[in-house]
Amino acid sequence: MTHEDIILSINNLAISFKSFSGRVRALRGVTIDVVRGKTIAIVGESGSGKSVTVKTIMRILSKNEKIESGSIVFNNKRDNEIVPIDLLKLSNKHMQREIKGKKIAMIFQDPMTSLDPTMKIGKQILEAIFAHKKIKLKAAVEQVHQLLETVGIKNIKAVMNAYPYQLSGGMRQRIVIAIAISCEPDLLICDEPTTALDVTIQSKILDLIKKIQKARNLSVIFITHDLGVVSRIADQVYVMYAGKIVEYGTCNDIFYDPRHPYTWGLLESTPDMAYLQERLASIPGTPKRMIGDVKGDQFAERNRYALNIDFRMEPPFFKVNDHHFAATWLLHPKAPQIRIPESLRKRIDLMKEENRNG
Amino acid sequence: MEVIHMIRYIGKRTILSLITLFIILFILFLMLNFMPGSPFNDTKMSHEQLKILYHEYGLDRPLAERFLIYVKQMLTGNLGVSYSLQTNATVTNMISHTLPISVQIGLQASVVGSLIGIVLGFVAALRKNSFFDSMATGISILGVSVPSFVLALCFSYIFSYKYNLFPLLYSSSEAFRSTILPTLSLCFFTLASIARYSRSEMIEVMEKDYIRLADAKGITRFQLVCRHIIRNAMIPIITVLAPLTVDLMAGSLVIEKAFSIPGMGSLYINAIQANDYNVVIGISFIYSLMFIGTMFFVDLLYGLIDPRIRIAKRGK
Ligand SMILES: Nc1ncnc2c1ncn2[C@@H]1O[C@H](COP(=O)(O)OP(=O)(O)OP(=O)(O)O)[C@@H](O)[C@H]1O
Ligand SMILES: [Mg+2]
């Protein structure tokens, strides 16, 4: 992939939190490339470090957070020229004035708590516009109308005059989306934007994000732990576990040819993929907190297929094809031939079949 | 539309307040009735003389009757007469002479206390874990734990006795200067509690999702603090203002004594000691009125700043 294609590249990002029980190593060398105009999904169980990753991009840092190493390079497009900026090196002021809201915007998980309860909706959207645009109030109000129309709100006047608590969760998430796209950002970060919503509304919001992404040629980072959602929205998938990417590839790679046992576990535990009336398998155990120095593959303890070496050394990335990589010793030429679990195999075959027919 | 609902709401609250006051009055009457002693504690008086006095003031009548007479009089603005402190002076008169200075000191203390408290708390929150923050915390702990009369003593010793900056006791020739030390001693508790409370409220608000979102819009830190953080932190702070004002009223009794201020607090204490029923009831009534009034005012203020409450009220 050429340099120009990539809008954001996170390189070897390591982050830790100071805590009473020691240093919590939340990210341990995360590398992610976001291709311009495409959607990448980051999936993984709770606590794997998805939010920490994107919050660091947006510089929403906790007091006890420390960036150990790495860079986040944003390839800013200005007059057809690409200017790479390391976001970690920018001053707060610069970040606030030039990046946040203007180049990179974010949609948060819980729409019920993401809007200021004491401010009218219209004003909250206007504030986002005025943060980066020097225009007259009338023109700005006109833009608010257009934005609200874009996100599918009908009674625009009433909504502008409403306070957040007067709107439903779905409506509020539409407002949050309107705020996010108000200054035409290049990159949109969505941290589980539908998790807090009803299933029916989830799918509507998802469609909306997809529509906006297409219409504006946005690049999107989409965080979720729902693989069903991923298959609907993403071009590329990064599977994250314990502060590391363990497998990444295109949607097809991850869904039809998963290689990492953790990805297998995730796929097996996804209800959307339960075409057969089997009981859902779930990954045994829970992710452990990484405090102090860690050794070996963090997933080893929960991994049915763990090899001896997994407990001693972290696996590097092995190449499956040009765009598909997985960090598991199972891909080592000398590793025993372990096949994907039979039930998952069957499911994938069914899916392929269905795709061919539908 | 909004105005009509507002008026209706105020009307409803007023009626409720009146009922509350009526009940308070009745309880006061009951309590004083069962209190030992009498307003006429002169040991030289004979039993016969006492009986005549009791009859003269109608104190020999049954409780219910006395209560009704009192309420009837009160509605015409007559709070009865003093029995013993200033025999036959009207209570209304006594209160109107002592109330202004008490209100002045009380208002000064609550304004100074809450303003400085809020600013102190907010700045401490914005500079969490800094030297300023530790200092503010120190002041808060001191202010909450040291009783106001101890402060009053310290202040008078330092500022009046040693450096002679303010009068030691109240003097009407230097009326305003005389109120400064009492105000300071009185406001310290309020200041300290508000500072502590504002700091924690502000820190809590700063962690909220909507602050993150507002920040993600790319607005400046100053805008974030003014438009979002302070406004949201103010809502809970306003609710604690009311009880704190009440604490202030209680504190004023002691402070007025300490500085010999001829205010309502001093009068109240004297009246209680002398069993001067009408004065006690009159002043208690005024205190209740101020208390209920404060709560009412704070409630309205609360509605103004928090749309959820404003609209909920309109809906009902
Ligand atoms: N402020 C903090 N202090 C200490 N540890 C933290 C802090 N914030 C996050 N962590 C730790 O970092 C790890 C990753 O957290 P993160 O919020 O990124 O998870 P996530 O993948 O977004 O999970 P979820 O799906 O629940 O949102 C967790 O183990 C968490 O305990
Ligand atoms: Mg998260």
Side-chain angles (χ1 to χ4, degrees), chain A residues 280-316:
Chain A
L280 280 181
S282 64
I283 306 173
T286 49
K288 68 173 188 190
R289 277 165 71 88
M290 287 141 305
I291 295 173
D293 285 329
V294 290
K295 205 173 115 193
D297 182 357
Q298 292 311 297
F299 186 55
E301 283 166 24
R302 301 171 65 195
N303 185 357
R304 269 182 284 175
Y305 313 100
L307 308 174
N308 270 335
I309 189 169
D310 277 320
F311 293 93
R312 284 181 284 117
M313 251 174 98
E314 281 214 275

mmCIF file of all heavy atoms in Angstrom, chain A residues 280-316:
data_model
loop_
_atom_site.group_PDB
_atom_site.id
_atom_site.type_symbol
_atom_site.label_atom_id
_atom_site.label_comp_id
_atom_site.label_asym_id
_atom_site.label_seq_id
_atom_site.Cartn_x
_atom_site.Cartn_y
_atom_site.Cartn_z
ATOM 1 N N LEU A 280 -24.086 -21.597 21.823
ATOM 2 C CA LEU A 280 -22.972 -20.714 21.537
ATOM 3 C C LEU A 280 -21.783 -21.085 22.395
ATOM 4 O O LEU A 280 -21.909 -21.283 23.591
ATOM 5 C CB LEU A 280 -23.341 -19.276 21.861
ATOM 6 C CG LEU A 280 -24.168 -18.547 20.811
ATOM 7 C CD1 LEU A 280 -24.408 -17.145 21.289
ATOM 8 C CD2 LEU A 280 -23.421 -18.551 19.494
ATOM 9 N N ALA A 281 -20.649 -21.174 21.734
ATOM 10 C CA ALA A 281 -19.440 -21.394 22.510
ATOM 11 C C ALA A 281 -18.938 -20.033 22.961
ATOM 12 O O ALA A 281 -19.147 -19.037 22.291
ATOM 13 C CB ALA A 281 -18.399 -22.060 21.632
ATOM 14 N N SER A 282 -18.334 -19.971 24.113
ATOM 15 C CA SER A 282 -17.694 -18.716 24.465
ATOM 16 C C SER A 282 -16.263 -19.017 24.849
ATOM 17 O O SER A 282 -15.912 -20.146 25.188
ATOM 18 C CB SER A 282 -18.418 -18.030 25.615
ATOM 19 O OG SER A 282 -18.316 -18.824 26.759
ATOM 20 N N ILE A 283 -15.441 -17.983 24.768
ATOM 21 C CA ILE A 283 -14.030 -18.190 25.090
ATOM 22 C C ILE A 283 -13.928 -18.407 26.589
ATOM 23 O O ILE A 283 -14.447 -17.606 27.364
ATOM 24 C CB ILE A 283 -13.217 -16.953 24.687
ATOM 25 C CG1 ILE A 283 -13.487 -16.636 23.213
ATOM 26 C CG2 ILE A 283 -11.744 -17.187 24.936
ATOM 27 C CD1 ILE A 283 -12.869 -15.334 22.759
ATOM 28 N N PRO A 284 -13.286 -19.488 27.016
ATOM 29 C CA PRO A 284 -13.197 -19.727 28.460
ATOM 30 C C PRO A 284 -12.324 -18.676 29.139
ATOM 31 O O PRO A 284 -11.420 -18.122 28.521
ATOM 32 C CB PRO A 284 -12.550 -21.114 28.546
ATOM 33 C CG PRO A 284 -11.832 -21.284 27.255
ATOM 34 C CD PRO A 284 -12.608 -20.521 26.228
ATOM 35 N N GLY A 285 -12.629 -18.386 30.411
ATOM 36 C CA GLY A 285 -11.807 -17.452 31.177
ATOM 37 C C GLY A 285 -12.091 -16.007 30.833
ATOM 38 O O GLY A 285 -12.967 -15.701 30.023
ATOM 39 N N THR A 286 -11.345 -15.131 31.478
ATOM 40 C CA THR A 286 -11.500 -13.699 31.215
ATOM 41 C C THR A 286 -10.136 -13.115 30.936
ATOM 42 O O THR A 286 -9.120 -13.682 31.341
ATOM 43 C CB THR A 286 -12.094 -12.969 32.431
ATOM 44 O OG1 THR A 286 -11.340 -13.360 33.581
ATOM 45 C CG2 THR A 286 -13.555 -13.295 32.628
ATOM 46 N N PRO A 287 -10.108 -11.982 30.227
ATOM 47 C CA PRO A 287 -8.813 -11.355 29.982
ATOM 48 C C PRO A 287 -8.186 -10.956 31.312
ATOM 49 O O PRO A 287 -8.887 -10.532 32.214
ATOM 50 C CB PRO A 287 -9.158 -10.106 29.173
ATOM 51 C CG PRO A 287 -10.584 -10.205 28.810
ATOM 52 C CD PRO A 287 -11.220 -11.181 29.723
ATOM 53 N N LYS A 288 -6.886 -11.126 31.444
ATOM 54 C CA LYS A 288 -6.273 -10.709 32.711
ATOM 55 C C LYS A 288 -5.667 -9.324 32.551
ATOM 56 O O LYS A 288 -5.350 -8.890 31.445
ATOM 57 C CB LYS A 288 -5.234 -11.734 33.152
ATOM 58 C CG LYS A 288 -4.008 -11.804 32.275
ATOM 59 C CD LYS A 288 -2.974 -12.733 32.906
ATOM 60 C CE LYS A 288 -1.674 -12.643 32.130
ATOM 61 N NZ LYS A 288 -0.687 -13.626 32.485
ATOM 62 N N ARG A 289 -5.573 -8.631 33.675
ATOM 63 C CA ARG A 289 -4.964 -7.308 33.642
ATOM 64 C C ARG A 289 -3.462 -7.457 33.581
ATOM 65 O O ARG A 289 -2.889 -8.253 34.325
ATOM 66 C CB ARG A 289 -5.346 -6.531 34.896
ATOM 67 C CG ARG A 289 -6.690 -5.860 34.795
ATOM 68 C CD ARG A 289 -7.145 -5.440 36.158
ATOM 69 N NE ARG A 289 -6.354 -4.314 36.674
ATOM 70 C CZ ARG A 289 -6.663 -3.049 36.443
ATOM 71 N NH1 ARG A 289 -7.717 -2.749 35.716
ATOM 72 N NH2 ARG A 289 -5.946 -2.072 36.941
ATOM 73 N N MET A 290 -2.850 -6.705 32.699
ATOM 74 C CA MET A 290 -1.415 -6.840 32.586
ATOM 75 C C MET A 290 -0.707 -5.830 33.455
ATOM 76 O O MET A 290 -0.643 -4.651 33.137
ATOM 77 C CB MET A 290 -0.995 -6.672 31.134
ATOM 78 C CG MET A 290 -1.366 -7.867 30.322
ATOM 79 S SD MET A 290 -1.937 -7.347 28.746
ATOM 80 C CE MET A 290 -3.209 -6.247 29.182
ATOM 81 N N ILE A 291 -0.217 -6.317 34.570
ATOM 82 C CA ILE A 291 0.479 -5.431 35.495
ATOM 83 C C ILE A 291 1.939 -5.841 35.546
ATOM 84 O O ILE A 291 2.271 -7.023 35.598
ATOM 85 C CB ILE A 291 -0.172 -5.503 36.889
ATOM 86 C CG1 ILE A 291 -1.590 -4.957 36.785
ATOM 87 C CG2 ILE A 291 0.637 -4.732 37.914
ATOM 88 C CD1 ILE A 291 -2.406 -5.116 38.013
ATOM 89 N N GLY A 292 2.808 -4.850 35.498
ATOM 90 C CA GLY A 292 4.247 -5.128 35.524
ATOM 91 C C GLY A 292 4.701 -5.760 34.213
ATOM 92 O O GLY A 292 4.094 -5.558 33.168
ATOM 93 N N ASP A 293 5.767 -6.535 34.261
ATOM 94 C CA ASP A 293 6.291 -7.142 33.040
ATOM 95 C C ASP A 293 5.498 -8.395 32.695
ATOM 96 O O ASP A 293 5.067 -9.130 33.570
ATOM 97 C CB ASP A 293 7.764 -7.502 33.236
ATOM 98 C CG ASP A 293 8.621 -6.246 33.196
ATOM 99 O OD1 ASP A 293 8.227 -5.303 32.476
ATOM 100 O OD2 ASP A 293 9.652 -6.205 33.887
ATOM 101 N N VAL A 294 5.298 -8.608 31.421
ATOM 102 C CA VAL A 294 4.555 -9.789 31.004
ATOM 103 C C VAL A 294 5.414 -10.620 30.068
ATOM 104 O O VAL A 294 6.297 -10.123 29.401
ATOM 105 C CB VAL A 294 3.231 -9.403 30.316
ATOM 106 C CG1 VAL A 294 2.274 -8.827 31.323
ATOM 107 C CG2 VAL A 294 3.475 -8.440 29.188
ATOM 108 N N LYS A 295 5.116 -11.904 30.056
ATOM 109 C CA LYS A 295 5.941 -12.830 29.292
ATOM 110 C C LYS A 295 5.024 -13.721 28.452
ATOM 111 O O LYS A 295 3.937 -14.099 28.910
ATOM 112 C CB LYS A 295 6.735 -13.696 30.288
ATOM 113 C CG LYS A 295 8.024 -14.256 29.736
ATOM 114 C CD LYS A 295 8.797 -14.933 30.851
ATOM 115 C CE LYS A 295 8.901 -16.414 30.570
ATOM 116 N NZ LYS A 295 9.347 -17.198 31.695
ATOM 117 N N GLY A 296 5.462 -14.047 27.266
ATOM 118 C CA GLY A 296 4.718 -14.984 26.440
ATOM 119 C C GLY A 296 3.458 -14.392 25.834
ATOM 120 O O GLY A 296 3.189 -13.205 25.956
ATOM 121 N N ASP A 297 2.681 -15.255 25.216
ATOM 122 C CA ASP A 297 1.447 -14.829 24.582
ATOM 123 C C ASP A 297 0.374 -14.696 25.662
ATOM 124 O O ASP A 297 0.102 -15.635 26.397
ATOM 125 C CB ASP A 297 1.033 -15.886 23.546
ATOM 126 C CG ASP A 297 -0.228 -15.466 22.810
ATOM 127 O OD1 ASP A 297 -0.783 -14.405 23.148
ATOM 128 O OD2 ASP A 297 -0.647 -16.210 21.905
ATOM 129 N N GLN A 298 -0.218 -13.522 25.747
ATOM 130 C CA GLN A 298 -1.185 -13.266 26.814
ATOM 131 C C GLN A 298 -2.430 -14.137 26.709
ATOM 132 O O GLN A 298 -3.136 -14.358 27.675
ATOM 133 C CB GLN A 298 -1.589 -11.784 26.816
ATOM 134 C CG GLN A 298 -0.479 -10.875 27.225
ATOM 135 C CD GLN A 298 0.176 -11.353 28.503
ATOM 136 O OE1 GLN A 298 -0.454 -11.409 29.548
ATOM 137 N NE2 GLN A 298 1.449 -11.737 28.427
ATOM 138 N N PHE A 299 -2.684 -14.644 25.515
ATOM 139 C CA PHE A 299 -3.893 -15.432 25.327
ATOM 140 C C PHE A 299 -3.661 -16.908 25.677
ATOM 141 O O PHE A 299 -4.604 -17.680 25.804
ATOM 142 C CB PHE A 299 -4.374 -15.281 23.877
ATOM 143 C CG PHE A 299 -5.692 -15.933 23.603
ATOM 144 C CD1 PHE A 299 -6.816 -15.606 24.372
ATOM 145 C CD2 PHE A 299 -5.836 -16.869 22.593
ATOM 146 C CE1 PHE A 299 -8.040 -16.195 24.124
ATOM 147 C CE2 PHE A 299 -7.068 -17.467 22.339
ATOM 148 C CZ PHE A 299 -8.164 -17.126 23.107
ATOM 149 N N ALA A 300 -2.417 -17.265 25.870
ATOM 150 C CA ALA A 300 -2.061 -18.682 26.028
ATOM 151 C C ALA A 300 -2.904 -19.410 27.073
ATOM 152 O O ALA A 300 -3.388 -20.519 26.840
ATOM 153 C CB ALA A 300 -0.577 -18.800 26.370
ATOM 154 N N GLU A 301 -3.102 -18.761 28.223
ATOM 155 C CA GLU A 301 -3.811 -19.436 29.305
ATOM 156 C C GLU A 301 -5.243 -19.809 28.936
ATOM 157 O O GLU A 301 -5.816 -20.735 29.497
ATOM 158 C CB GLU A 301 -3.853 -18.525 30.542
ATOM 159 C CG GLU A 301 -2.531 -18.512 31.273
ATOM 160 C CD GLU A 301 -2.463 -17.370 32.270
ATOM 161 O OE1 GLU A 301 -3.530 -16.906 32.713
ATOM 162 O OE2 GLU A 301 -1.337 -16.943 32.572
ATOM 163 N N ARG A 302 -5.824 -19.066 28.033
ATOM 164 C CA ARG A 302 -7.211 -19.340 27.669
ATOM 165 C C ARG A 302 -7.297 -20.111 26.355
ATOM 166 O O ARG A 302 -8.383 -20.363 25.852
ATOM 167 C CB ARG A 302 -7.972 -18.012 27.526
ATOM 168 C CG ARG A 302 -7.976 -17.189 28.789
ATOM 169 C CD ARG A 302 -8.543 -15.820 28.526
ATOM 170 N NE ARG A 302 -9.949 -15.877 28.148
ATOM 171 C CZ ARG A 302 -10.600 -14.859 27.601
ATOM 172 N NH1 ARG A 302 -9.976 -13.729 27.341
ATOM 173 N NH2 ARG A 302 -11.869 -14.970 27.302
ATOM 174 N N ASN A 303 -6.167 -20.424 25.826
ATOM 175 C CA ASN A 303 -6.117 -20.960 24.473
ATOM 176 C C ASN A 303 -6.062 -22.486 24.499
ATOM 177 O O ASN A 303 -5.120 -23.085 24.997
ATOM 178 C CB ASN A 303 -4.860 -20.402 23.790
ATOM 179 C CG ASN A 303 -4.772 -20.802 22.336
ATOM 180 O OD1 ASN A 303 -5.628 -21.543 21.835
ATOM 181 N ND2 ASN A 303 -3.758 -20.311 21.674
ATOM 182 N N ARG A 304 -7.071 -23.127 23.944
ATOM 183 C CA ARG A 304 -7.117 -24.588 23.857
ATOM 184 C C ARG A 304 -5.922 -25.131 23.073
ATOM 185 O O ARG A 304 -5.465 -26.239 23.270
ATOM 186 C CB ARG A 304 -8.383 -25.010 23.096
ATOM 187 C CG ARG A 304 -9.599 -25.262 23.947
ATOM 188 C CD ARG A 304 -10.739 -25.716 23.062
ATOM 189 N NE ARG A 304 -11.312 -24.592 22.317
ATOM 190 C CZ ARG A 304 -12.274 -24.746 21.398
ATOM 191 N NH1 ARG A 304 -12.721 -25.948 21.089
ATOM 192 N NH2 ARG A 304 -12.765 -23.695 20.775
ATOM 193 N N TYR A 305 -5.455 -24.310 22.119
ATOM 194 C CA TYR A 305 -4.434 -24.801 21.190
ATOM 195 C C TYR A 305 -3.052 -24.271 21.536
ATOM 196 O O TYR A 305 -2.152 -24.293 20.720
ATOM 197 C CB TYR A 305 -4.792 -24.396 19.755
ATOM 198 C CG TYR A 305 -6.226 -24.683 19.417
ATOM 199 C CD1 TYR A 305 -7.186 -23.680 19.439
ATOM 200 C CD2 TYR A 305 -6.621 -25.987 19.091
ATOM 201 C CE1 TYR A 305 -8.504 -23.947 19.139
ATOM 202 C CE2 TYR A 305 -7.946 -26.260 18.802
ATOM 203 C CZ TYR A 305 -8.885 -25.237 18.827
ATOM 204 O OH TYR A 305 -10.179 -25.511 18.541
ATOM 205 N N ALA A 306 -2.886 -23.786 22.755
ATOM 206 C CA ALA A 306 -1.613 -23.165 23.114
ATOM 207 C C ALA A 306 -0.471 -24.169 23.008
ATOM 208 O O ALA A 306 -0.610 -25.341 23.368
ATOM 209 C CB ALA A 306 -1.691 -22.606 24.526
ATOM 210 N N LEU A 307 0.648 -23.688 22.484
ATOM 211 C CA LEU A 307 1.842 -24.521 22.402
ATOM 212 C C LEU A 307 2.753 -24.144 23.555
ATOM 213 O O LEU A 307 2.556 -23.113 24.205
ATOM 214 C CB LEU A 307 2.565 -24.249 21.075
ATOM 215 C CG LEU A 307 1.695 -24.349 19.823
ATOM 216 C CD1 LEU A 307 2.496 -23.909 18.613
ATOM 217 C CD2 LEU A 307 1.204 -25.776 19.645
ATOM 218 N N ASN A 308 3.748 -24.967 23.802
ATOM 219 C CA ASN A 308 4.692 -24.656 24.879
ATOM 220 C C ASN A 308 5.314 -23.286 24.721
ATOM 221 O O ASN A 308 5.448 -22.529 25.674
ATOM 222 C CB ASN A 308 5.799 -25.711 24.915
ATOM 223 C CG ASN A 308 5.397 -26.845 25.827
ATOM 224 O OD1 ASN A 308 4.594 -26.631 26.734
ATOM 225 N ND2 ASN A 308 5.928 -28.021 25.577
ATOM 226 N N ILE A 309 5.669 -22.987 23.489
ATOM 227 C CA ILE A 309 6.389 -21.738 23.246
ATOM 228 C C ILE A 309 5.524 -20.516 23.567
ATOM 229 O O ILE A 309 6.019 -19.459 23.935
ATOM 230 C CB ILE A 309 6.900 -21.691 21.782
ATOM 231 C CG1 ILE A 309 7.825 -20.495 21.609
ATOM 232 C CG2 ILE A 309 5.752 -21.655 20.800
ATOM 233 C CD1 ILE A 309 8.574 -20.487 20.317
ATOM 234 N N ASP A 310 4.197 -20.706 23.489
ATOM 235 C CA ASP A 310 3.295 -19.591 23.761
ATOM 236 C C ASP A 310 3.483 -19.026 25.163
ATOM 237 O O ASP A 310 3.240 -17.855 25.411
ATOM 238 C CB ASP A 310 1.834 -20.032 23.597
ATOM 239 C CG ASP A 310 1.406 -19.979 22.149
ATOM 240 O OD1 ASP A 310 1.810 -19.015 21.467
ATOM 241 O OD2 ASP A 310 0.680 -20.891 21.707
ATOM 242 N N PHE A 311 3.906 -19.891 26.086
ATOM 243 C CA PHE A 311 4.061 -19.427 27.462
ATOM 244 C C PHE A 311 5.394 -18.741 27.694
ATOM 245 O O PHE A 311 5.623 -18.163 28.738
ATOM 246 C CB PHE A 311 3.895 -20.605 28.433
ATOM 247 C CG PHE A 311 2.491 -21.142 28.435
ATOM 248 C CD1 PHE A 311 2.130 -22.199 27.610
ATOM 249 C CD2 PHE A 311 1.518 -20.543 29.240
ATOM 250 C CE1 PHE A 311 0.835 -22.674 27.597
ATOM 251 C CE2 PHE A 311 0.225 -21.016 29.234
ATOM 252 C CZ PHE A 311 -0.127 -22.087 28.408
ATOM 253 N N ARG A 312 6.278 -18.852 26.718
ATOM 254 C CA ARG A 312 7.601 -18.277 26.900
ATOM 255 C C ARG A 312 7.859 -17.071 26.017
ATOM 256 O O ARG A 312 8.505 -16.126 26.420
ATOM 257 C CB ARG A 312 8.675 -19.346 26.637
ATOM 258 C CG ARG A 312 8.813 -20.336 27.797
ATOM 259 C CD ARG A 312 9.882 -21.350 27.530
ATOM 260 N NE ARG A 312 9.444 -22.366 26.577
ATOM 261 C CZ ARG A 312 9.999 -22.551 25.385
ATOM 262 N NH1 ARG A 312 11.022 -21.828 25.024
ATOM 263 N NH2 ARG A 312 9.536 -23.477 24.572
ATOM 264 N N MET A 313 7.323 -17.097 24.790
ATOM 265 C CA MET A 313 7.662 -16.032 23.857
ATOM 266 C C MET A 313 6.419 -15.511 23.156
ATOM 267 O O MET A 313 5.530 -16.284 22.802
ATOM 268 C CB MET A 313 8.606 -16.585 22.790
ATOM 269 C CG MET A 313 10.022 -16.085 22.896
ATOM 270 S SD MET A 313 11.015 -16.963 21.708
ATOM 271 C CE MET A 313 11.051 -15.770 20.404
ATOM 272 N N GLU A 314 6.389 -14.210 22.972
ATOM 273 C CA GLU A 314 5.264 -13.650 22.237
ATOM 274 C C GLU A 314 5.448 -13.941 20.763
ATOM 275 O O GLU A 314 6.541 -13.767 20.212
ATOM 276 C CB GLU A 314 5.202 -12.138 22.450
ATOM 277 C CG GLU A 314 4.600 -11.788 23.775
ATOM 278 C CD GLU A 314 3.795 -10.512 23.705
ATOM 279 O OE1 GLU A 314 4.400 -9.451 23.841
ATOM 280 O OE2 GLU A 314 2.561 -10.577 23.517
ATOM 281 N N PRO A 315 4.392 -14.376 20.088
ATOM 282 C CA PRO A 315 4.531 -14.673 18.663
ATOM 283 C C PRO A 315 4.626 -13.389 17.853
ATOM 284 O O PRO A 315 3.979 -12.401 18.188
ATOM 285 C CB PRO A 315 3.238 -15.420 18.338
ATOM 286 C CG PRO A 315 2.268 -14.991 19.383
ATOM 287 C CD PRO A 315 3.063 -14.667 20.604
ATOM 288 N N PRO A 316 5.436 -13.393 16.797
ATOM 289 C CA PRO A 316 5.443 -12.247 15.871
ATOM 290 C C PRO A 316 4.290 -12.405 14.889
ATOM 291 O O PRO A 316 3.559 -13.395 14.930
ATOM 292 C CB PRO A 316 6.776 -12.411 15.155
ATOM 293 C CG PRO A 316 6.994 -13.892 15.134
ATOM 294 C CD PRO A 316 6.359 -14.443 16.383
#
